[in-house]
Amino acid sequence: MKLLVTGGCGFIGSDFIRWILDARPDLQVTNLDSLTYAGNLENLAECEANPRYRFVRGSVADADAVDAAVREAEGIVHFAAESHVDRSLYGPVDFARTNVEGTVVLLEAARRHRLRRFVLVSTDEVYGSLAEEGTFTESSPLAPSSAYSATKAAGDLMALAYRRTFGLDVVITRGSNTYGPHQYPEKFIPLFITNALEDRPCPLYGDGRNVRDWLYVRDHTRGIWAAFEGGRSGEVYNLGGGNERRNVDVARAVLRAVGRPESLIQHVADRPGHDRRYALDTRKARAELGWAPDIPFERGLSDTVAWYRDHAEWVRRVKSGDYRTYYERHYGIGNRLEPGARSLEPEIQDEKPTSST
Ligand SMILES: NC(=O)c1ccc[n+]([C@@H]2O[C@H](COP(=O)([O-])OP(=O)(O)OC[C@H]3O[C@@H](n4cnc5c(N)ncnc54)[C@H](O)[C@@H]3O)[C@@H](O)[C@H]2O)c1
Protein backbone atom coordinates (compact mmCIF):
# COMPACT_ATOMS: atom_id res chain seq x y z
CA MET A 1 0.00 0.00 0.00
CA LYS A 2 1.07 3.56 -0.66
CA LEU A 3 0.74 5.68 2.43
CA LEU A 4 0.96 9.46 2.55
CA VAL A 5 2.21 10.78 5.88
CA THR A 6 2.08 14.52 6.53
CA GLY A 7 4.35 16.23 9.05
CA GLY A 8 6.69 13.23 9.12
CA CYS A 9 9.76 15.30 9.96
CA GLY A 10 8.36 16.27 13.35
CA PHE A 11 8.40 14.42 16.63
CA ILE A 12 5.61 11.83 16.42
CA GLY A 13 5.47 11.65 12.61
CA SER A 14 9.16 10.71 12.39
CA ASP A 15 8.74 8.03 15.03
CA PHE A 16 5.77 6.70 13.06
CA ILE A 17 7.72 6.57 9.78
CA ARG A 18 10.78 4.91 11.32
CA TRP A 19 8.52 2.31 12.94
CA ILE A 20 6.17 1.61 10.04
CA LEU A 21 8.94 1.17 7.44
CA ASP A 22 10.32 -1.53 9.68
CA ALA A 23 7.05 -3.09 10.84
CA ARG A 24 5.34 -3.16 7.43
CA PRO A 25 7.66 -4.16 4.56
CA ASP A 26 4.69 -4.01 2.16
CA LEU A 27 4.23 -0.27 2.65
CA GLN A 28 5.60 2.65 0.66
CA VAL A 29 5.66 5.94 2.50
CA THR A 30 5.63 9.45 1.09
CA ASN A 31 6.28 12.15 3.68
CA LEU A 32 4.84 15.59 2.86
CA ASP A 33 6.34 18.17 5.19
CA SER A 34 6.95 21.89 4.78
CA LEU A 35 9.89 21.85 7.24
CA THR A 36 8.80 24.55 9.65
CA TYR A 37 11.04 25.25 12.66
CA ALA A 38 9.72 21.93 14.09
CA GLY A 39 10.46 19.82 11.02
CA ASN A 40 13.90 18.25 10.98
CA LEU A 41 15.27 16.06 8.19
CA GLU A 42 17.80 14.64 10.66
CA ASN A 43 14.91 12.87 12.39
CA LEU A 44 14.57 10.60 9.35
CA ALA A 45 18.21 10.36 8.30
CA GLU A 46 18.13 6.59 8.76
CA CYS A 47 15.23 6.26 6.28
CA GLU A 48 16.71 8.34 3.47
CA ALA A 49 18.30 5.38 1.68
CA ASN A 50 15.20 3.21 2.02
CA PRO A 51 13.66 2.71 -1.48
CA ARG A 52 10.20 2.55 0.12
CA TYR A 53 10.55 6.05 1.54
CA ARG A 54 10.19 9.38 -0.26
CA PHE A 55 10.30 12.93 1.08
CA VAL A 56 8.40 15.77 -0.57
CA ARG A 57 8.75 19.28 0.73
CA GLY A 58 5.42 21.10 0.65
CA SER A 59 2.67 22.56 2.77
CA VAL A 60 -0.60 20.81 3.47
CA ALA A 61 -2.26 24.16 2.81
CA ASP A 62 -0.89 24.21 -0.77
CA ALA A 63 -3.59 22.59 -2.91
CA ASP A 64 -1.25 21.77 -5.81
CA ALA A 65 1.41 20.12 -3.64
CA VAL A 66 -1.29 18.20 -1.81
CA ASP A 67 -3.03 17.08 -4.98
CA ALA A 68 0.22 15.73 -6.43
CA ALA A 69 0.98 13.79 -3.24
CA VAL A 70 -2.55 12.50 -2.60
CA ARG A 71 -3.12 11.37 -6.20
CA GLU A 72 -0.47 8.66 -5.72
CA ALA A 73 -1.60 7.53 -2.27
CA GLU A 74 -4.11 4.99 -1.01
CA GLY A 75 -4.27 6.16 2.60
CA ILE A 76 -3.24 9.19 4.67
CA VAL A 77 -1.99 9.63 8.20
CA HIS A 78 -2.15 13.33 8.87
CA PHE A 79 0.26 14.60 11.55
CA ALA A 80 1.24 17.99 10.11
CA ALA A 81 0.29 20.78 12.46
CA GLU A 82 1.44 23.83 14.28
CA SER A 83 1.66 21.90 17.52
CA HIS A 84 2.87 24.14 20.32
CA VAL A 85 0.24 25.80 22.51
CA ASP A 86 2.71 28.46 23.72
CA ARG A 87 3.47 29.58 20.16
CA SER A 88 -0.25 29.85 19.43
CA LEU A 89 -0.23 32.84 21.79
CA TYR A 90 1.84 34.73 19.21
CA GLY A 91 0.68 33.45 15.82
CA PRO A 92 -2.87 32.06 15.86
CA VAL A 93 -3.27 32.71 12.13
CA ASP A 94 -0.46 30.27 11.32
CA PHE A 95 -2.28 27.70 13.44
CA ALA A 96 -5.54 28.25 11.55
CA ARG A 97 -3.76 28.03 8.19
CA THR A 98 -2.11 24.69 8.85
CA ASN A 99 -4.43 23.00 11.35
CA VAL A 100 -7.73 24.05 9.77
CA GLU A 101 -7.10 25.06 6.17
CA GLY A 102 -4.36 22.47 5.65
CA THR A 103 -6.59 19.73 7.03
CA VAL A 104 -9.47 20.74 4.75
CA VAL A 105 -7.20 20.90 1.70
CA LEU A 106 -6.07 17.34 2.46
CA LEU A 107 -9.60 16.09 3.11
CA GLU A 108 -10.74 17.58 -0.17
CA ALA A 109 -7.92 15.91 -2.10
CA ALA A 110 -8.62 12.61 -0.33
CA ARG A 111 -12.26 12.84 -1.38
CA ARG A 112 -11.38 13.71 -4.98
CA HIS A 113 -8.94 10.82 -5.29
CA ARG A 114 -11.16 8.40 -3.34
CA LEU A 115 -8.61 7.39 -0.75
CA ARG A 116 -9.30 4.27 1.26
CA ARG A 117 -8.65 5.78 4.65
CA PHE A 118 -7.77 9.11 6.28
CA VAL A 119 -6.46 9.10 9.83
CA LEU A 120 -6.38 12.50 11.49
CA VAL A 121 -3.96 12.69 14.41
CA SER A 122 -5.67 14.92 16.93
CA THR A 123 -5.25 15.69 20.61
CA ASP A 124 -6.96 15.36 23.98
CA GLU A 125 -6.68 19.14 24.27
CA VAL A 126 -9.81 19.54 22.11
CA TYR A 127 -11.88 18.55 25.17
CA GLY A 128 -10.62 21.48 27.24
CA SER A 129 -9.88 21.29 30.94
CA LEU A 130 -11.09 18.82 33.59
CA ALA A 131 -11.64 19.37 37.29
CA GLU A 132 -9.96 17.09 39.83
CA GLU A 133 -12.11 14.07 39.01
CA GLY A 134 -13.32 12.29 35.88
CA THR A 135 -12.03 11.51 32.40
CA PHE A 136 -12.89 12.52 28.87
CA THR A 137 -14.61 9.97 26.65
CA GLU A 138 -14.83 10.28 22.88
CA SER A 139 -18.31 11.77 23.24
CA SER A 140 -17.30 14.48 25.71
CA PRO A 141 -18.09 17.94 24.32
CA LEU A 142 -15.32 19.84 22.57
CA ALA A 143 -14.31 22.87 24.65
CA PRO A 144 -10.83 23.91 23.50
CA SER A 145 -9.03 26.68 25.38
CA SER A 146 -6.14 27.73 23.13
CA ALA A 147 -5.72 28.67 19.49
CA TYR A 148 -3.85 25.37 19.14
CA SER A 149 -6.62 23.20 20.54
CA ALA A 150 -9.39 25.25 18.88
CA THR A 151 -7.80 24.82 15.46
CA LYS A 152 -7.26 21.10 16.09
CA ALA A 153 -10.95 20.79 17.11
CA ALA A 154 -11.96 22.59 13.91
CA GLY A 155 -9.90 20.07 11.92
CA ASP A 156 -11.65 17.21 13.74
CA LEU A 157 -15.08 18.65 12.96
CA MET A 158 -14.23 19.13 9.29
CA ALA A 159 -12.99 15.54 9.08
CA LEU A 160 -16.23 14.26 10.61
CA ALA A 161 -18.21 16.46 8.23
CA TYR A 162 -16.36 14.91 5.27
CA ARG A 163 -17.33 11.51 6.59
CA ARG A 164 -21.01 12.39 6.99
CA THR A 165 -21.44 14.52 3.90
CA PHE A 166 -19.11 12.91 1.38
CA GLY A 167 -18.66 9.42 2.80
CA LEU A 168 -14.89 9.82 3.12
CA ASP A 169 -13.45 7.07 5.32
CA VAL A 170 -12.11 9.10 8.26
CA VAL A 171 -10.81 7.98 11.67
CA ILE A 172 -9.61 10.40 14.36
CA THR A 173 -7.16 9.66 17.17
CA ARG A 174 -6.94 11.95 20.18
CA GLY A 175 -3.64 11.34 21.91
CA SER A 176 -2.56 12.67 25.27
CA ASN A 177 0.68 14.56 26.02
CA THR A 178 3.44 12.67 24.26
CA TYR A 179 7.13 12.49 25.12
CA GLY A 180 10.18 10.65 23.86
CA PRO A 181 13.27 11.09 21.67
CA HIS A 182 13.36 13.69 18.87
CA GLN A 183 10.83 16.04 20.48
CA TYR A 184 11.52 19.72 19.86
CA PRO A 185 12.83 21.08 23.18
CA GLU A 186 10.22 23.83 23.50
CA LYS A 187 7.86 21.20 24.95
CA PHE A 188 7.87 20.53 28.68
CA ILE A 189 9.84 17.28 29.07
CA PRO A 190 12.62 17.90 26.50
CA LEU A 191 12.83 21.54 27.63
CA PHE A 192 13.52 20.41 31.19
CA ILE A 193 15.88 17.62 30.13
CA THR A 194 18.00 19.81 27.86
CA ASN A 195 18.08 22.78 30.25
CA ALA A 196 18.98 20.51 33.15
CA LEU A 197 21.75 18.82 31.15
CA GLU A 198 23.20 22.32 30.66
CA ASP A 199 22.65 23.23 34.35
CA ARG A 200 20.22 25.95 33.39
CA PRO A 201 17.02 26.91 35.23
CA CYS A 202 13.89 25.02 34.18
CA PRO A 203 10.79 27.24 33.87
CA LEU A 204 7.66 25.78 35.48
CA TYR A 205 4.33 27.51 34.87
CA GLY A 206 2.29 28.78 37.81
CA ASP A 207 1.96 26.51 40.83
CA GLY A 208 3.01 23.44 38.82
CA ARG A 209 -0.13 21.55 39.82
CA ASN A 210 -1.57 21.21 36.32
CA VAL A 211 -2.03 17.53 35.51
CA ARG A 212 -1.20 15.83 32.21
CA ASP A 213 -1.49 12.21 31.12
CA TRP A 214 1.86 11.18 29.59
CA LEU A 215 2.10 8.83 26.63
CA TYR A 216 5.38 7.47 25.29
CA VAL A 217 5.83 8.27 21.60
CA ARG A 218 6.10 4.66 20.43
CA ASP A 219 2.87 3.80 22.21
CA HIS A 220 1.23 6.75 20.46
CA THR A 221 2.62 5.63 17.10
CA ARG A 222 1.26 2.10 17.57
CA GLY A 223 -2.15 3.48 18.54
CA ILE A 224 -2.36 5.63 15.42
CA TRP A 225 -1.55 2.65 13.21
CA ALA A 226 -4.03 0.45 15.10
CA ALA A 227 -6.66 3.09 14.31
CA PHE A 228 -5.65 3.10 10.65
CA GLU A 229 -5.92 -0.67 10.43
CA GLY A 230 -8.80 -1.44 12.77
CA GLY A 231 -10.72 1.75 13.52
CA ARG A 232 -14.34 2.08 12.43
CA SER A 233 -14.96 4.74 9.84
CA GLY A 234 -16.22 8.01 11.32
CA GLU A 235 -15.09 7.10 14.84
CA VAL A 236 -12.81 8.85 17.33
CA TYR A 237 -10.35 6.97 19.55
CA ASN A 238 -8.72 8.34 22.69
CA LEU A 239 -5.10 7.28 23.12
CA GLY A 240 -3.92 8.03 26.66
CA GLY A 241 -0.90 6.78 28.55
CA GLY A 242 -2.66 6.27 31.89
CA ASN A 243 0.18 8.23 33.50
CA GLU A 244 -1.47 11.21 35.17
CA ARG A 245 1.16 13.40 36.79
CA ARG A 246 1.27 16.93 38.18
CA ASN A 247 3.75 19.06 36.24
CA VAL A 248 5.80 19.69 39.37
CA ASP A 249 6.17 15.94 39.88
CA VAL A 250 7.24 15.46 36.26
CA ALA A 251 9.75 18.28 36.72
CA ARG A 252 11.21 16.57 39.79
CA ALA A 253 11.29 13.18 38.02
CA VAL A 254 13.16 14.71 35.08
CA LEU A 255 15.73 16.35 37.35
CA ARG A 256 16.23 13.08 39.25
CA ALA A 257 16.68 11.20 35.96
CA VAL A 258 19.18 13.79 34.70
CA GLY A 259 20.95 13.87 38.08
CA ARG A 260 20.43 17.56 38.84
CA PRO A 261 19.02 19.35 41.93
CA GLU A 262 15.39 20.45 42.26
CA SER A 263 16.68 23.97 42.82
CA LEU A 264 16.92 24.25 39.01
CA ILE A 265 13.11 24.51 38.93
CA GLN A 266 12.13 28.15 38.47
CA HIS A 267 8.47 29.05 38.82
CA VAL A 268 7.36 31.50 36.12
CA ALA A 269 4.09 33.32 35.42
CA ASP A 270 1.41 30.93 34.18
CA ARG A 271 0.37 30.70 30.55
CA PRO A 272 -2.99 32.33 29.80
CA GLY A 273 -5.73 29.74 29.32
CA HIS A 274 -3.54 26.98 30.83
CA ASP A 275 -5.80 23.92 31.17
CA ARG A 276 -5.75 22.48 34.68
CA ARG A 277 -6.08 18.79 34.00
CA TYR A 278 -6.42 16.30 31.16
CA ALA A 279 -7.31 12.63 31.58
CA LEU A 280 -8.62 10.21 28.98
CA ASP A 281 -10.91 7.23 29.07
CA THR A 282 -9.21 4.81 26.67
CA ARG A 283 -11.60 1.87 26.93
CA LYS A 284 -12.81 2.26 23.37
CA ALA A 285 -9.32 2.04 21.82
CA ARG A 286 -8.48 -0.91 24.05
CA ALA A 287 -11.67 -2.79 23.17
CA GLU A 288 -11.95 -1.98 19.47
CA LEU A 289 -8.33 -1.58 18.40
CA GLY A 290 -6.73 -4.01 20.81
CA TRP A 291 -4.34 -1.18 21.69
CA ALA A 292 -2.87 -0.42 25.09
CA PRO A 293 0.11 1.68 26.09
CA ASP A 294 3.09 -0.44 26.96
CA ILE A 295 5.88 1.78 28.29
CA PRO A 296 5.75 2.77 31.99
CA PHE A 297 6.45 6.45 32.57
CA GLU A 298 9.69 5.93 34.53
CA ARG A 299 11.17 3.72 31.81
CA GLY A 300 10.06 6.03 28.99
CA LEU A 301 11.54 8.99 30.83
CA SER A 302 14.85 7.31 31.47
CA ASP A 303 15.10 6.23 27.78
CA THR A 304 14.25 9.79 26.74
CA VAL A 305 16.88 11.33 29.01
CA ALA A 306 19.44 8.86 27.65
CA TRP A 307 18.56 9.84 24.09
CA TYR A 308 19.02 13.58 24.72
CA ARG A 309 22.26 12.90 26.59
CA ASP A 310 23.55 10.92 23.60
CA HIS A 311 22.43 13.48 21.00
CA ALA A 312 24.09 16.66 22.20
CA GLU A 313 24.77 17.77 18.62
CA TRP A 314 21.11 17.38 17.64
CA VAL A 315 20.16 19.45 20.67
CA ARG A 316 22.80 22.09 19.97
CA ARG A 317 21.62 22.56 16.38
CA VAL A 318 17.93 22.65 17.33
CA LYS A 319 18.44 25.05 20.25
CA SER A 320 19.96 27.78 18.11
CA GLY A 321 18.49 30.38 15.76
CA ASP A 322 14.71 30.45 15.92
CA TYR A 323 14.67 28.56 19.19
CA ARG A 324 16.64 31.21 21.05
CA THR A 325 14.51 34.02 19.68
CA TYR A 326 11.33 32.25 20.72
CA TYR A 327 12.71 31.31 24.13
CA GLU A 328 13.73 34.81 25.03
CA ARG A 329 10.41 36.21 23.86
CA HIS A 330 8.37 33.67 25.77
CA TYR A 331 10.32 33.27 28.99
CA GLY A 332 12.23 36.56 29.07
CA ILE A 333 12.14 39.36 31.59
CA GLY A 334 8.83 41.23 31.43
CA ASN A 335 6.98 38.29 29.94
CA ARG A 336 6.98 35.10 32.08
CA LEU A 337 9.62 36.57 34.40
CA GLU A 338 9.05 39.55 36.70
CA PRO A 339 11.44 42.50 36.21
CA GLY A 340 14.47 41.87 38.39
CA ALA A 341 14.11 38.07 38.33
CA ARG A 342 17.05 35.82 37.61
CA SER A 343 17.15 35.32 33.84
CA LEU A 344 16.65 31.79 32.59
CA GLU A 345 19.20 32.22 29.83
CA PRO A 346 22.01 34.44 31.10
CA GLU A 347 24.07 34.15 27.96
CA ILE A 348 21.37 35.43 25.63
CA GLN A 349 20.35 38.32 27.88
CA ASP A 350 22.36 40.73 25.81
CA GLU A 351 20.71 39.85 22.52
CA LYS A 352 18.46 42.48 20.97
CA PRO A 353 14.87 41.97 22.20
CA THR A 354 12.68 40.35 19.52
CA SER A 355 9.81 42.32 18.08
CA SER A 356 6.37 41.36 19.28
CA THR A 357 3.24 41.01 17.23
N1 LIG B 1 3.23 16.22 20.86
C1 LIG B 1 2.15 15.91 21.54
O1 LIG B 1 2.18 15.83 22.77
C2 LIG B 1 0.86 15.59 20.81
C3 LIG B 1 -0.18 14.99 21.53
C4 LIG B 1 -1.37 14.68 20.85
C5 LIG B 1 -1.50 14.96 19.52
N2 LIG B 1 -0.48 15.56 18.85
C6 LIG B 1 -0.66 15.83 17.43
O2 LIG B 1 0.27 15.02 16.73
C7 LIG B 1 0.69 15.67 15.54
C8 LIG B 1 2.20 15.72 15.49
O3 LIG B 1 2.66 16.41 16.65
P1 LIG B 1 4.22 16.60 16.92
O4 LIG B 1 4.38 16.82 18.36
O5 LIG B 1 4.96 15.53 16.23
O6 LIG B 1 4.46 17.98 16.15
P2 LIG B 1 5.82 18.67 15.69
O7 LIG B 1 5.61 20.12 15.91
O8 LIG B 1 7.01 18.00 16.29
O9 LIG B 1 5.89 18.37 14.13
C9 LIG B 1 4.99 18.95 13.22
C10 LIG B 1 5.50 18.64 11.81
O10 LIG B 1 4.54 19.17 10.88
C11 LIG B 1 5.24 19.92 9.90
N3 LIG B 1 4.36 20.98 9.42
C12 LIG B 1 3.90 22.05 10.10
N4 LIG B 1 3.11 22.80 9.31
C13 LIG B 1 3.06 22.17 8.11
C14 LIG B 1 2.39 22.43 6.88
N5 LIG B 1 1.63 23.53 6.72
N6 LIG B 1 2.54 21.55 5.88
C15 LIG B 1 3.32 20.45 6.00
N7 LIG B 1 3.99 20.17 7.13
C16 LIG B 1 3.85 21.00 8.18
C17 LIG B 1 6.48 20.46 10.60
O11 LIG B 1 7.50 20.81 9.68
C18 LIG B 1 6.85 19.29 11.50
O12 LIG B 1 7.67 18.37 10.80
C19 LIG B 1 0.03 17.05 15.53
O13 LIG B 1 -1.09 17.00 14.71
C20 LIG B 1 -0.37 17.25 16.99
O14 LIG B 1 -1.51 18.05 17.08
C21 LIG B 1 0.70 15.87 19.47
Side-chain angles (χ1 to χ4, degrees), residues 11-37:
F11 165 48
I12 309 173
S14 66
D15 187 76
F16 178 85
I17 291 178
R18 287 191 304 273
W19 178 78
I20 200 90
L21 284 172
D22 195 42
R24 290 294 300 263
D26 55 318
L27 273 186
Q28 292 178 32
V29 174
T30 297
N31 170 18
L32 178 69
D33 194 303
S34 62
L35 296 180
T36 66
Y37 76 94

Side-chain angles (χ1 to χ4, degrees), residues 328-345:
E328 178 62 12
R329 177 185 197 182
H330 189 65
Y331 291 111
I333 306 279
N335 196 354
R336 297 266 100 60
L337 285 179
E338 299 294 324
R342 179 170 60 125
S343 171
L344 295 170
E345 293 286 322

Side-chain angles (χ1 to χ4, degrees), residues 31 40 54 58 63 71 87 98-99 106 123 128 147 156 178 218 252 307 317 341-342:
N31 170 18
N40 188 342
R54 188 167 71 104
R71 148 196 320 274
R87 288 194 189 237
T98 291
N99 302 357
L106 264 180
T123 165
D156 287 18
T178 305
R218 186 52 56 89
R252 289 179 182 141
W307 188 88
R317 279 195 287 277
R342 179 170 60 125

Side-chain angles (χ1 to χ4, degrees), residues 127-339:
Y127 299 120
S129 190
L130 272 174
E132 308 260 303
E133 297 294 316
T135 51
F136 291 121
T137 70
E138 288 80 356
S139 49
S140 297
L142 302 186
S145 307
S146 69
Y148 165 65
S149 49
T151 54
K152 290 295 290 184
D156 287 18
L157 293 175
M158 285 304 288
L160 293 172
Y162 265 74
R163 155 78 189 153
R164 290 187 199 122
T165 309
F166 303 120
L168 182 67
D169 185 315
V170 166
V171 176
I172 296 174
T173 60
R174 292 189 180 138
S176 64
N177 276 59
T178 305
Y179 71 103
H182 296 97
Q183 187 168 27
Y184 195 84
E186 63 190 355
K187 306 272 170 60
F188 179 25
I189 287 184
L191 169 65
F192 269 54
I193 294 174
T194 57
N195 277 18
L197 283 170
E198 295 163 10
D199 292 305
R200 293 181 189 195
C202 300
L204 184 66
Y205 287 135
D207 64 7
R209 292 196 185 142
N210 304 59
V211 172
R212 299 290 179 265
D213 169 14
W214 292 97
L215 176 64
Y216 191 67
V217 65
R218 186 52 56 89
D219 283 334
H220 197 164
T221 279
R222 288 192 303 99
I224 291 163
W225 185 243
F228 189 100
E229 287 203 304
R232 281 184 294 132
S233 181
E235 293 294 319
V236 176
Y237 295 92
N238 285 346
L239 303 174
N243 294 302
E244 273 190 62
R245 298 276 193 289
R246 296 184 315 171
N247 286 350
V248 65
D249 297 325
V250 172
R252 289 179 182 141
V254 168
L255 289 164
R256 259 196 316 278
V258 178
R260 296 296 192 277
E262 283 185 16
S263 57
L264 280 184
I265 296 175
Q266 179 159 1
H267 287 270
V268 296
D270 209 350
R271 171 174 81 201
H274 196 183
D275 288 333
R276 197 63 175 165
R277 175 170 169 260
Y278 304 133
L280 287 177
D281 181 328
T282 57
R283 281 176 295 181
K284 185 174 171 186
R286 289 169 189 263
E288 292 189 19
L289 308 178
W291 172 85
D294 196 30
I295 313 285
F297 183 68
E298 286 65 28
R299 194 178 115 208
L301 185 58
S302 121
D303 289 355
T304 305
V305 168
W307 188 88
Y308 281 94
R309 219 190 267 285
D310 292 345
H311 290 79
E313 266 308 294
W314 185 97
V315 173
R316 194 190 57 74
R317 279 195 287 277
V318 167
K319 287 183 101 171
S320 60
D322 169 86
Y323 181 88
R324 288 160 68 105
T325 309
Y326 158 76
Y327 195 92
E328 178 62 12
R329 177 185 197 182
H330 189 65
Y331 291 111
I333 306 279
N335 196 354
R336 297 266 100 60
L337 285 179
E338 299 294 324

